[in-house]
């Protein structure tokens, strides 16, 4: 059995990505403290992911191994860490709502199934995105992609398995769960399903395939994206799941409607910034450090933020997004936790 151990470099928390361009001048709390925080949350998440996945003889050994192969590659775990941090922020905020969970540890525990489900879904999306019929990539998270190692058929089934297990995990609940917690869980299931489906990520992937000419259907003209189309595609393809991650944590911690809405607005800006940085790294990054093939967007003629706006303006757009996100947290009395640190992590990442 493949254990869920990281094969990626230690987390980068260098807040230099935009600083040397004079766009970002300050960060949140201590960098070293945040590095410790990320390591601790990753360890907890990896252990929870391992517990949540079926093992033989419950399921065939081959598909179990294939699912773990992609999860064990590590990745940044941004989405599950974001979910846990949102739950923490709600629990610490005096404006979080009367029903909120006051204990940080309890808030994280309540949010952990959603955090794991989101990582299952994100990993499934990468497995399918790398297939020859989609992006046709051979490198992901610093390792050969799943279909290169196990073949297209098992890669498809492993992705299907991860997606399905995400909702099985969310549906189970805890023994003795209260009706209030069960109601929160149902809200989370609905939000994650919408984010992962045709309204969200799947819809964004379809727009991507159509706009790049990967899919050519008789009678259907290829779609040409403009600035609004690019923003819409990425709000679905990347942003929807990031928003669902933050909102799920806030809901499971018992945040008020106003608090959940504020975290959703924060995460919408975070998702935009994440995609802009991704596009910049595809231009400026190195495949070995990125853990995936650099320069593929330009080679395939994809419309990206740097292609549309140029690198300097793209950096400015990312910085503006982080500034909006920070104001949203401050206005909602949510600035005391790790959410803003995560935003700085996203904008400063090198992979």
């Amino acid at each position: 059995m493949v254990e869920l151990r990281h094969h990626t470099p230690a987390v980068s928390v260098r807040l230099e990505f935009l600083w040397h361009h004079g766009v970002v001048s300050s960060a949140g709390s201590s960098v070293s403290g945040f590095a410790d925080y990320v390591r601790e949350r990753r360890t907890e998440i990896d252990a929870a992911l391992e517990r949540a996945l079926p093992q033989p003889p419950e399921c065939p050994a081959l598909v179990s191994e294939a699912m773990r192969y992609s999860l064990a590659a590590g990745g940044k775990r941004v989405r599950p860490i974001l979910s846990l941090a949102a739950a923490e922020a709600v629990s610490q905020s005096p404006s979080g709502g009367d029903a909120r969970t006051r204990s940080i540890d309890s808030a994280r525990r309540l949010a952990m199934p959603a955090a794991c489900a989101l990582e299952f879904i994100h990993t499934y999306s990468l497995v399918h995105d790398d297939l020859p019929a989609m992006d046709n990539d051979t490198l992901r998270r610093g390792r050969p992609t799943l279909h290169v190692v196990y073949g297209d058929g098992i890669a498809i089934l492993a992705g299907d398995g991860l997606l399905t297990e995400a909702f099985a995990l969310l549906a189970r609940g805890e023994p003795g769960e209260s009706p209030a917690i069960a109601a929160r869980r149902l809200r989370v299931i609905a939000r994650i399903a919408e984010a992962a489906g045709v309204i969200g990520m799947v819809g964004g992937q379809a727009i991507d395939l159509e706009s790049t000419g990967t899919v050519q259907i008789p009678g259907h003209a290829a779609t040409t994206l403009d600035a609004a189309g690019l923003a819409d595609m990425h709000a679905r393809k990347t942003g929807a799941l990031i928003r669902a991650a933050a909102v799920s944590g806030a809901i499971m911690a018992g945040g008020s409607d106003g608090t959940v809405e504020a975290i959703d607005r924060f995460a919408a800006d975070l998702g935009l910034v994440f995609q802009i940085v991704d596009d910049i790294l595809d231009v400026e990054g190195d495949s070995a450090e990125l853990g995936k093939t650099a320069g593929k967007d330009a080679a395939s003629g994809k419309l990206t933020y740097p292609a549309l706006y140029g690198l300097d303006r793209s950096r400015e757009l990312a910085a503006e997004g982080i500034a909006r996100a920070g104001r949203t947290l401050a206005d909602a009395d949510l600035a005391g936790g790790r959410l803003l640190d995560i935003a700085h992590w996203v904008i400063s990442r090198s992979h």
Side-chain angles (χ1 to χ4, degrees), residues 92-231:
Q92 294 176 81
S93 172
S95 304
D98 293 337
R100 77 185 190 279
T101 301
R102 268 35 176 212
S103 161
I104 290 179
D105 290 340
S106 296
R108 278 203 300 263
R109 178 182 56 78
L110 288 170
M112 185 61 82
C116 290
L118 286 153
E119 188 65 14
F120 285 170
I121 293 169
H122 173 57
T123 303
Y124 123 78
S125 76
L126 300 182
V127 170
H128 282 195
D129 192 45
D130 290 333
L131 288 165
M134 301 279 279
D135 267 8
N136 192 24
D137 215 329
T138 58
L139 185 68
R140 174 70 70 177
R141 291 175 168 175
R143 310 172 81 184
T145 48
L146 188 61
H147 71 272
V148 170
V149 178
Y150 288 87
D152 291 4
I154 291 298
I156 291 168
L157 293 175
D160 292 345
L162 288 166
L163 174 61
T164 308
E165 288 302 322
F167 289 102
L169 174 60
L170 288 170
R172 277 195 287 271
E174 294 183 340
E177 183 178 74
S178 71
I181 299 299
R184 293 178 196 174
R185 200 162 40 78
L186 285 174
R187 284 179 66 192
V188 165
I189 290 171
R191 180 59 188 258
I192 292 176
E194 181 178 286
V198 294
I199 293 174
M201 185 176 67
V202 170
Q205 288 278 27
I207 294 169
D208 191 12
L209 289 174
E210 187 179 8
S211 65
T212 57
T214 305
V215 173
Q216 296 181 352
I217 302 171
H220 286 254
T223 301
T224 301
L225 295 181
D226 54 12
L230 180 68

Side-chain angles (χ1 to χ4, degrees), residues 8-28:
T8 51
V11 59
S12 168
V13 290
R14 291 175 293 117
L15 301 179
E16 301 168 356
F17 186 84
L18 302 181
W19 287 11
H20 66 284
H21 296 280
V23 179
V24 173
S25 58
S26 64

